[in-house]
Amino acid sequence: MKFPADYRDWVFLTSGLDMSYSSDAAPDHSMFNNVFVNPSAYRAFKATGHWPEGTVLVLENRGAEGAKSINKRGKTESSELMGLEVHVLDSAHVKGGWGFYGFDNQVSGKLIARPAGCYTCHEEHAAVDTTFVQFYPTLMETAKTKGTLSAAYLKELKP
């Protein structure tokens, strides 16, 4: 897959700091996870509560730093790019519809083959269409209103 070089012009969905799916000890560095989506997919989601075919989500991982310039507390994003992943809805070419692509550079990436853990985790825990809309505050209300939250996600909310 060719890397979507203009992704920073797309719709920004969320940013997380030091997110992890494991309760293991904290890492020795901090990292921001930023998520962007292509504009046409964002508009379609707002209208329907589902992602359309051709949706492209980019996860950009950047280092976090503190005490920079006038900042005395907290963390800001560094220029250090620590990772890039792309999640694409491409039913014509990817088994199960959604594919994850890993990138070592900003040129091209390779499809991560099933049964990699990313597929299972997204299928078992994602709020909508195997995507973590529960972490996208600007879209969660849309999913609730449209009634598109997954059964797996709703089950996790029950005590």
Side-chain angles (χ1 to χ4, degrees):
M1 172 182 189
K2 183 178 174 191
F3 187 74
D6 63 345
Y7 77 93
R8 282 223 150 239
D9 294 331
W10 293 2
V11 177
F12 173 76
L13 294 178
T14 196
S15 187
L17 177 63
D18 294 338
M19 292 180 70
S20 175
Y21 306 124
S22 168
S23 59
D24 293 345
D28 60 354
H29 63 277
S30 283
M31 185 169 57
F32 281 93
N33 311 106
N34 302 312
V35 180
F36 301 85
V37 66
N38 57 313
S40 60
Y42 178 81
R43 289 189 298 274
F45 188 95
K46 293 290 283 180
T48 68
H50 285 288
W51 297 111
E53 192 68 26
T55 295
V56 180
L57 295 150
V58 175
L59 173 63
E60 172 195 77
N61 301 313
R62 287 201 176 267
E65 59 190 7
K68 181 178 181 182
S69 183
I70 63 169
N71 181 40
K72 303 300 179 216
R73 277 193 333 226
K75 297 185 185 274
T76 61
E77 290 186 37
S78 74
S79 60
E80 180 185 8
L81 189 58
M82 301 175 79
L84 294 164
E85 297 172 22
V86 176
H87 195 191
V88 178
L89 180 53
D90 182 3
S91 299
H93 299 100
V94 179
K95 180 182 176 183
W98 287 95
F100 289 93
Y101 293 81
F103 289 82
D104 293 329
N105 57 54
Q106 292 186 24
V107 178
S108 63
K110 296 190 188 266
L111 179 66
I112 298 169
R114 287 182 177 269
C118 47
Y119 292 99
T120 306
C121 186
H122 277 252
E123 290 163 0
E124 294 177 356
H125 303 286
V128 179
D129 300 340
T130 74
T131 65
F132 290 133
V133 170
Q134 63 263 45
F135 302 130
Y136 310 159
T138 59
L139 294 182
M140 193 59 177
E141 193 58 38
T142 299
K144 288 177 183 175
T145 301
K146 303 287 185 185
T148 58
L149 294 171
S150 72
Y153 172 73
L154 291 171
K155 183 179 174 184
E156 289 182 354
L157 296 179
K158 293 181 182 178

PDB file of all heavy atoms in Angstrom, residues 84-86 94 98-103 109-119:
ATOM      1  N   LEU A  84       3.919   4.333  12.318  1.00  0.00           N
ATOM      2  CA  LEU A  84       2.770   4.649  11.468  1.00  0.00           C
ATOM      3  C   LEU A  84       2.052   3.347  11.130  1.00  0.00           C
ATOM      4  O   LEU A  84       2.681   2.369  10.744  1.00  0.00           O
ATOM      5  CB  LEU A  84       3.224   5.305  10.166  1.00  0.00           C
ATOM      6  CG  LEU A  84       3.858   6.673  10.275  1.00  0.00           C
ATOM      7  CD1 LEU A  84       4.598   7.024   8.992  1.00  0.00           C
ATOM      8  CD2 LEU A  84       2.791   7.713  10.566  1.00  0.00           C
ATOM      9  N   GLU A  85       0.731   3.370  11.305  1.00  0.00           N
ATOM     10  CA  GLU A  85      -0.089   2.226  10.918  1.00  0.00           C
ATOM     11  C   GLU A  85      -1.309   2.757  10.188  1.00  0.00           C
ATOM     12  O   GLU A  85      -1.770   3.862  10.458  1.00  0.00           O
ATOM     13  CB  GLU A  85      -0.541   1.441  12.148  1.00  0.00           C
ATOM     14  CG  GLU A  85       0.585   0.830  12.937  1.00  0.00           C
ATOM     15  CD  GLU A  85       0.113   0.218  14.244  1.00  0.00           C
ATOM     16  OE1 GLU A  85      -1.081  -0.106  14.371  1.00  0.00           O
ATOM     17  OE2 GLU A  85       0.952   0.080  15.147  1.00  0.00           O
ATOM     18  N   VAL A  86      -1.838   1.960   9.289  1.00  0.00           N
ATOM     19  CA  VAL A  86      -3.016   2.356   8.530  1.00  0.00           C
ATOM     20  C   VAL A  86      -4.040   1.220   8.597  1.00  0.00           C
ATOM     21  O   VAL A  86      -3.684   0.049   8.469  1.00  0.00           O
ATOM     22  CB  VAL A  86      -2.646   2.683   7.067  1.00  0.00           C
ATOM     23  CG1 VAL A  86      -3.882   3.011   6.256  1.00  0.00           C
ATOM     24  CG2 VAL A  86      -1.675   3.868   7.020  1.00  0.00           C
ATOM     25  N   VAL A  94      -9.236  -7.440   0.824  1.00  0.00           N
ATOM     26  CA  VAL A  94      -8.792  -7.880   2.146  1.00  0.00           C
ATOM     27  C   VAL A  94      -9.847  -8.783   2.777  1.00  0.00           C
ATOM     28  O   VAL A  94     -11.018  -8.395   2.882  1.00  0.00           O
ATOM     29  CB  VAL A  94      -8.531  -6.660   3.070  1.00  0.00           C
ATOM     30  CG1 VAL A  94      -8.105  -7.123   4.455  1.00  0.00           C
ATOM     31  CG2 VAL A  94      -7.477  -5.742   2.474  1.00  0.00           C
ATOM     32  N   TRP A  98     -11.558  -5.274   6.564  1.00  0.00           N
ATOM     33  CA  TRP A  98     -10.581  -4.344   7.130  1.00  0.00           C
ATOM     34  C   TRP A  98      -9.181  -4.936   7.107  1.00  0.00           C
ATOM     35  O   TRP A  98      -8.993  -6.094   7.466  1.00  0.00           O
ATOM     36  CB  TRP A  98     -10.940  -4.007   8.584  1.00  0.00           C
ATOM     37  CG  TRP A  98     -12.112  -3.106   8.722  1.00  0.00           C
ATOM     38  CD1 TRP A  98     -13.411  -3.477   8.930  1.00  0.00           C
ATOM     39  CD2 TRP A  98     -12.108  -1.685   8.674  1.00  0.00           C
ATOM     40  NE1 TRP A  98     -14.208  -2.362   9.014  1.00  0.00           N
ATOM     41  CE2 TRP A  98     -13.440  -1.251   8.862  1.00  0.00           C
ATOM     42  CE3 TRP A  98     -11.110  -0.728   8.485  1.00  0.00           C
ATOM     43  CZ2 TRP A  98     -13.794   0.094   8.876  1.00  0.00           C
ATOM     44  CZ3 TRP A  98     -11.470   0.611   8.503  1.00  0.00           C
ATOM     45  CH2 TRP A  98     -12.789   1.008   8.694  1.00  0.00           C
ATOM     46  N   GLY A  99      -8.221  -4.126   6.707  1.00  0.00           N
ATOM     47  CA  GLY A  99      -6.827  -4.547   6.712  1.00  0.00           C
ATOM     48  C   GLY A  99      -5.967  -3.579   7.487  1.00  0.00           C
ATOM     49  O   GLY A  99      -6.224  -2.370   7.493  1.00  0.00           O
ATOM     50  N   PHE A 100      -4.966  -4.101   8.149  1.00  0.00           N
ATOM     51  CA  PHE A 100      -3.986  -3.285   8.860  1.00  0.00           C
ATOM     52  C   PHE A 100      -2.687  -3.310   8.062  1.00  0.00           C
ATOM     53  O   PHE A 100      -2.241  -4.382   7.643  1.00  0.00           O
ATOM     54  CB  PHE A 100      -3.712  -3.842  10.265  1.00  0.00           C
ATOM     55  CG  PHE A 100      -4.843  -3.653  11.219  1.00  0.00           C
ATOM     56  CD1 PHE A 100      -5.794  -4.643  11.385  1.00  0.00           C
ATOM     57  CD2 PHE A 100      -4.964  -2.486  11.952  1.00  0.00           C
ATOM     58  CE1 PHE A 100      -6.849  -4.481  12.256  1.00  0.00           C
ATOM     59  CE2 PHE A 100      -6.009  -2.312  12.830  1.00  0.00           C
ATOM     60  CZ  PHE A 100      -6.955  -3.308  12.989  1.00  0.00           C
ATOM     61  N   TYR A 101      -2.104  -2.147   7.888  1.00  0.00           N
ATOM     62  CA  TYR A 101      -0.848  -2.021   7.160  1.00  0.00           C
ATOM     63  C   TYR A 101       0.190  -1.388   8.072  1.00  0.00           C
ATOM     64  O   TYR A 101      -0.090  -0.376   8.729  1.00  0.00           O
ATOM     65  CB  TYR A 101      -1.026  -1.152   5.905  1.00  0.00           C
ATOM     66  CG  TYR A 101      -1.910  -1.796   4.868  1.00  0.00           C
ATOM     67  CD1 TYR A 101      -3.299  -1.735   4.967  1.00  0.00           C
ATOM     68  CD2 TYR A 101      -1.367  -2.482   3.797  1.00  0.00           C
ATOM     69  CE1 TYR A 101      -4.109  -2.343   4.022  1.00  0.00           C
ATOM     70  CE2 TYR A 101      -2.168  -3.094   2.843  1.00  0.00           C
ATOM     71  CZ  TYR A 101      -3.543  -3.011   2.965  1.00  0.00           C
ATOM     72  OH  TYR A 101      -4.349  -3.618   2.037  1.00  0.00           O
ATOM     73  N   GLY A 102       1.363  -1.980   8.112  1.00  0.00           N
ATOM     74  CA  GLY A 102       2.468  -1.435   8.882  1.00  0.00           C
ATOM     75  C   GLY A 102       3.429  -0.713   7.952  1.00  0.00           C
ATOM     76  O   GLY A 102       3.674  -1.160   6.826  1.00  0.00           O
ATOM     77  N   PHE A 103       3.962   0.403   8.434  1.00  0.00           N
ATOM     78  CA  PHE A 103       4.873   1.223   7.632  1.00  0.00           C
ATOM     79  C   PHE A 103       6.167   1.453   8.391  1.00  0.00           C
ATOM     80  O   PHE A 103       6.147   1.897   9.541  1.00  0.00           O
ATOM     81  CB  PHE A 103       4.233   2.584   7.305  1.00  0.00           C
ATOM     82  CG  PHE A 103       3.111   2.482   6.320  1.00  0.00           C
ATOM     83  CD1 PHE A 103       1.842   2.125   6.729  1.00  0.00           C
ATOM     84  CD2 PHE A 103       3.329   2.732   4.981  1.00  0.00           C
ATOM     85  CE1 PHE A 103       0.806   2.015   5.811  1.00  0.00           C
ATOM     86  CE2 PHE A 103       2.308   2.621   4.057  1.00  0.00           C
ATOM     87  CZ  PHE A 103       1.038   2.259   4.484  1.00  0.00           C
ATOM     88  N   GLY A 109       3.796   0.420   2.642  1.00  0.00           N
ATOM     89  CA  GLY A 109       3.688  -0.498   3.759  1.00  0.00           C
ATOM     90  C   GLY A 109       3.133  -1.830   3.305  1.00  0.00           C
ATOM     91  O   GLY A 109       2.661  -1.975   2.181  1.00  0.00           O
ATOM     92  N   LYS A 110       3.195  -2.795   4.218  1.00  0.00           N
ATOM     93  CA  LYS A 110       2.738  -4.141   3.904  1.00  0.00           C
ATOM     94  C   LYS A 110       1.532  -4.501   4.768  1.00  0.00           C
ATOM     95  O   LYS A 110       1.449  -4.114   5.932  1.00  0.00           O
ATOM     96  CB  LYS A 110       3.854  -5.138   4.156  1.00  0.00           C
ATOM     97  CG  LYS A 110       5.041  -4.928   3.238  1.00  0.00           C
ATOM     98  CD  LYS A 110       6.010  -6.082   3.369  1.00  0.00           C
ATOM     99  CE  LYS A 110       7.266  -5.786   2.604  1.00  0.00           C
ATOM    100  NZ  LYS A 110       7.351  -6.250   1.311  1.00  0.00           N
ATOM    101  N   LEU A 111       0.626  -5.276   4.166  1.00  0.00           N
ATOM    102  CA  LEU A 111      -0.529  -5.772   4.880  1.00  0.00           C
ATOM    103  C   LEU A 111      -0.059  -6.698   5.996  1.00  0.00           C
ATOM    104  O   LEU A 111       0.758  -7.594   5.772  1.00  0.00           O
ATOM    105  CB  LEU A 111      -1.458  -6.532   3.926  1.00  0.00           C
ATOM    106  CG  LEU A 111      -2.718  -7.132   4.549  1.00  0.00           C
ATOM    107  CD1 LEU A 111      -3.665  -6.041   5.041  1.00  0.00           C
ATOM    108  CD2 LEU A 111      -3.420  -8.015   3.524  1.00  0.00           C
ATOM    109  N   ILE A 112      -0.558  -6.469   7.198  1.00  0.00           N
ATOM    110  CA  ILE A 112      -0.275  -7.356   8.323  1.00  0.00           C
ATOM    111  C   ILE A 112      -1.228  -8.541   8.181  1.00  0.00           C
ATOM    112  O   ILE A 112      -2.447  -8.369   8.109  1.00  0.00           O
ATOM    113  CB  ILE A 112      -0.484  -6.624   9.665  1.00  0.00           C
ATOM    114  CG1 ILE A 112       0.491  -5.445   9.766  1.00  0.00           C
ATOM    115  CG2 ILE A 112      -0.336  -7.585  10.830  1.00  0.00           C
ATOM    116  CD1 ILE A 112       0.222  -4.497  10.919  1.00  0.00           C
ATOM    117  N   ALA A 113      -0.668  -9.729   8.099  1.00  0.00           N
ATOM    118  CA  ALA A 113      -1.474 -10.923   7.830  1.00  0.00           C
ATOM    119  C   ALA A 113      -2.281 -11.352   9.051  1.00  0.00           C
ATOM    120  O   ALA A 113      -1.826 -11.209  10.189  1.00  0.00           O
ATOM    121  CB  ALA A 113      -0.564 -12.060   7.374  1.00  0.00           C
ATOM    122  N   ARG A 114      -3.468 -11.879   8.758  1.00  0.00           N
ATOM    123  CA  ARG A 114      -4.247 -12.519   9.819  1.00  0.00           C
ATOM    124  C   ARG A 114      -3.518 -13.797  10.196  1.00  0.00           C
ATOM    125  O   ARG A 114      -2.862 -14.379   9.354  1.00  0.00           O
ATOM    126  CB  ARG A 114      -5.651 -12.841   9.307  1.00  0.00           C
ATOM    127  CG  ARG A 114      -6.506 -11.605   9.174  1.00  0.00           C
ATOM    128  CD  ARG A 114      -7.906 -11.992   8.696  1.00  0.00           C
ATOM    129  NE  ARG A 114      -8.759 -10.842   8.617  1.00  0.00           N
ATOM    130  CZ  ARG A 114      -9.533 -10.410   9.617  1.00  0.00           C
ATOM    131  NH1 ARG A 114      -9.557 -11.067  10.744  1.00  0.00           N
ATOM    132  NH2 ARG A 114     -10.267  -9.337   9.476  1.00  0.00           N
ATOM    133  N   PRO A 115      -3.569 -14.234  11.394  1.00  0.00           N
ATOM    134  CA  PRO A 115      -4.412 -13.848  12.513  1.00  0.00           C
ATOM    135  C   PRO A 115      -3.722 -12.919  13.506  1.00  0.00           C
ATOM    136  O   PRO A 115      -3.844 -13.110  14.709  1.00  0.00           O
ATOM    137  CB  PRO A 115      -4.748 -15.179  13.164  1.00  0.00           C
ATOM    138  CG  PRO A 115      -3.480 -15.981  13.001  1.00  0.00           C
ATOM    139  CD  PRO A 115      -2.901 -15.519  11.680  1.00  0.00           C
ATOM    140  N   ALA A 116      -3.012 -11.925  13.072  1.00  0.00           N
ATOM    141  CA  ALA A 116      -2.322 -11.004  13.978  1.00  0.00           C
ATOM    142  C   ALA A 116      -3.288 -10.474  15.039  1.00  0.00           C
ATOM    143  O   ALA A 116      -4.486 -10.315  14.797  1.00  0.00           O
ATOM    144  CB  ALA A 116      -1.716  -9.853  13.185  1.00  0.00           C
ATOM    145  N   GLY A 117      -2.750 -10.198  16.194  1.00  0.00           N
ATOM    146  CA  GLY A 117      -3.555  -9.774  17.336  1.00  0.00           C
ATOM    147  C   GLY A 117      -4.373  -8.518  17.105  1.00  0.00           C
ATOM    148  O   GLY A 117      -5.424  -8.324  17.728  1.00  0.00           O
ATOM    149  N   CYS A 118      -3.921  -7.637  16.211  1.00  0.00           N
ATOM    150  CA  CYS A 118      -4.669  -6.405  15.962  1.00  0.00           C
ATOM    151  C   CYS A 118      -6.071  -6.720  15.439  1.00  0.00           C
ATOM    152  O   CYS A 118      -7.053  -6.068  15.830  1.00  0.00           O
ATOM    153  CB  CYS A 118      -3.929  -5.467  15.026  1.00  0.00           C
ATOM    154  SG  CYS A 118      -3.245  -6.209  13.546  1.00  0.00           S
ATOM    155  N   TYR A 119      -6.191  -7.735  14.593  1.00  0.00           N
ATOM    156  CA  TYR A 119      -7.507  -8.095  14.051  1.00  0.00           C
ATOM    157  C   TYR A 119      -8.428  -8.607  15.158  1.00  0.00           C
ATOM    158  O   TYR A 119      -9.571  -8.169  15.284  1.00  0.00           O
ATOM    159  CB  TYR A 119      -7.365  -9.159  12.953  1.00  0.00           C
ATOM    160  CG  TYR A 119      -6.687  -8.655  11.713  1.00  0.00           C
ATOM    161  CD1 TYR A 119      -5.338  -8.902  11.486  1.00  0.00           C
ATOM    162  CD2 TYR A 119      -7.388  -7.920  10.769  1.00  0.00           C
ATOM    163  CE1 TYR A 119      -4.707  -8.435  10.339  1.00  0.00           C
ATOM    164  CE2 TYR A 119      -6.765  -7.452   9.611  1.00  0.00           C
ATOM    165  CZ  TYR A 119      -5.420  -7.706   9.410  1.00  0.00           C
ATOM    166  OH  TYR A 119      -4.806  -7.237   8.289  1.00  0.00           O
TER     167      TYR A 119
END
